Amino acid sequence: MSSPEAVSAPRPRPAEPTHVDLRVRVGTVALENPIIAASGTFGYGVEFAPLVNLNHLGGLVVKGLSIEPMAGAASPRICETASGMVNAIGLQNIGVRAFVSEKLPELRRFKTAIVANVFGKTITEYVEVIRILEDAEGLAAYELNISCPNVESGGIEYSTDPKLTSAVVSAARQAAKRPLWVKLSPSIGIIALTAKAAEAEGADALVVANTFPALCIDGHIRKSRLGSTTGGLSGAAIKPITIIGLGGIESPADVAEYMLAGSSAVEVGTAHFVDPRASEKLVGGLEMWCRYENIFEISTLRGALRE
Ligand SMILES: Cc1cc2nc3c(=O)[nH]c(=O)nc-3n(C[C@H](O)[C@H](O)[C@H](O)COP(=O)(O)O)c2cc1C
């Protein structure tokens, strides 16, 4: 028997970690946390700086960059759907040279990882964009958007054909010294084929996925609600069918879902149209979610889905 004093003495509590370690790695790229703003939904980052502390984000992917500036598609360019939106922006952008001279100098002052989203109508254009970016400082990685029509193959999207995927990734790999992330299209039969092709040609990471082809019709005027007829569906509606990387992420539990399914990090897109601070708020929310779940290292979630 122990003495009454001993019984009432407080039991030592295990030391609680003082913070949640949100750090993750995507290939060789180290991020302070797994939240990355997705391409096309966060401008060139700098436009959001008055509203969002960019230093709080794990990273941001800038709007897709082409060799020449592009004016984009006819309006209307977006329409809201149940639990999501359909967009047809037509890859409007200021062109890679203007990005390097006008946006990057301001952007590189932030300590968040800056990822350049790259696309082209031909493989040569992809390579040219990368070459120009290679001479610039302040980028953590390239994200190759291969959901673009290849004008040399009758307009077939690179991402719909493993051979075209191999060709564009191989050429980009040779041009790029920085890490190369390949962003796949979800709208093909077996995504594993293009994923394997990209991996075999040296992709450092796969970003899954881009938007799903979609159409919104206005019954009154009997026409598409979008200027370029069809567009891409994004938002919460696509979360259960992409489930690695990005698509419809809005809450800390969504981030956990994606990480449990195998994602190293996630990108947040459509949520910025509801709240421009969505990704910054997610970083704080994720830390609280982890505490509640007694998780002190977020990287332990990755691939930890139970059978
Ligand atoms: C308005 C808009 C513009 C986009 N522009 C691009 C782009 O230029 N390049 C790209 O790779 N993805 C682009 N995307 C796709 C997003 O980066 C993301 O893959 C997709 O929206 C799914 O994520 P979400 O459901 O969180 O929005 C765009 C999406 C939207 C909504």
Side-chain angles (χ1 to χ4, degrees):
M1 289 281 285
S2 48
S3 68
E5 289 80 5
V7 169
S8 59
R11 285 170 56 201
R13 293 184 55 188
E16 269 186 21
T18 49
H19 78 297
V20 180
D21 185 352
L22 292 179
R23 289 172 304 168
V24 294
R25 297 186 81 86
V26 177
T28 52
V29 182
L31 304 176
E32 283 302 306
N33 64 68
I35 309 295
I36 305 170
S39 179
T41 69
F42 209 68
Y44 300 98
V46 287
E47 302 84 350
F48 282 68
L51 294 169
V52 177
N53 186 339
L54 300 183
N55 290 327
H56 289 172
L57 304 181
L60 67 91
V61 188
V62 301
K63 176 70 186 157
L65 301 167
S66 52
I67 191 73
E68 299 298 340
M70 283 174 60
S75 64
R77 291 172 160 191
I78 53 175
C79 76
E80 198 173 344
T81 60
S83 303
M85 64 187 260
V86 177
N87 88 81
I89 307 295
L91 295 166
Q92 179 192 355
N93 78 103
I94 59 174
V96 65
R97 292 183 189 88
F99 169 74
V100 169
S101 60
E102 293 166 23
K103 307 289 180 184
L104 195 53
E106 200 183 331
L107 208 45
R108 70 165 75 95
R109 291 191 291 116
F110 297 96
K111 65 178 171 61
T112 189
I114 310 297
V115 179
N117 183 290
V118 169
F119 73 94
K121 291 194 281 296
T122 62
I123 291 180
T124 311
E125 284 187 10
Y126 275 91
V127 169
E128 279 177 40
V129 175
I130 291 175
R131 287 222 175 103
I132 291 170
L133 294 170
E134 280 288 293
D135 291 336
E137 306 247 315
L139 292 170
Y142 303 119
E143 182 181 79
L144 218 57
N145 176 7
I146 60 168
S147 306
C148 304
N150 174 359
V151 294
E152 291 159 330
S153 297
I156 302 171
E157 282 187 18
Y158 295 90
S159 56
T160 57
D161 176 0
K163 285 205 186 88
L164 283 178
T165 300
S166 294
V168 69
V169 175
S170 162
R173 178 71 287 167
Q174 282 168 41
K177 289 190 201 71
R178 295 191 171 108
L180 187 64
W181 301 356
V182 178
K183 184 169 182 179
L184 303 177
S185 165
S187 56
I188 61 159
I190 305 174
I191 199 168
L193 296 179
T194 46
K196 287 269 178 214
E199 190 186 13
E201 295 302 334
D204 295 286
L206 300 175
V207 181
V208 187
N210 218 309
T211 51
F212 287 76
L215 171 67
C216 293
I217 293 172
D218 182 330
H220 179 61
I221 56 167
R222 302 187 178 192
K223 285 174 92 171
S224 167
R225 290 183 190 274
L226 293 174
S228 57
T229 314
T230 56
L233 178 66
S234 61
I238 69 171
K239 182 166 68 83
I241 44 178
T242 51
I243 205 75
I244 288 196
L246 78 156
I249 291 175
E250 294 176 345
S251 71
D254 296 338
V255 179
E257 256 189 74
Y258 270 68
M259 293 189 76
L260 287 168
S263 296
S264 309
V266 298
E267 293 184 10
V268 178
T270 300
H272 294 126
F273 286 78
V274 180
D275 181 353
R277 295 190 60 215
S279 36
E280 186 183 21
K281 286 180 179 168
L282 256 186
V283 177
L286 190 59
E287 183 167 1
M288 279 167 63
W289 187 91
C290 287
R291 273 181 201 287
Y292 183 77
E293 295 286 333
N294 268 323
I295 295 163
F296 293 99
E297 256 181 67
I298 190 120
S299 56
T300 59
L301 274 185
R302 185 175 170 223
L305 184 66
R306 294 186 186 128
E307 297 260 306

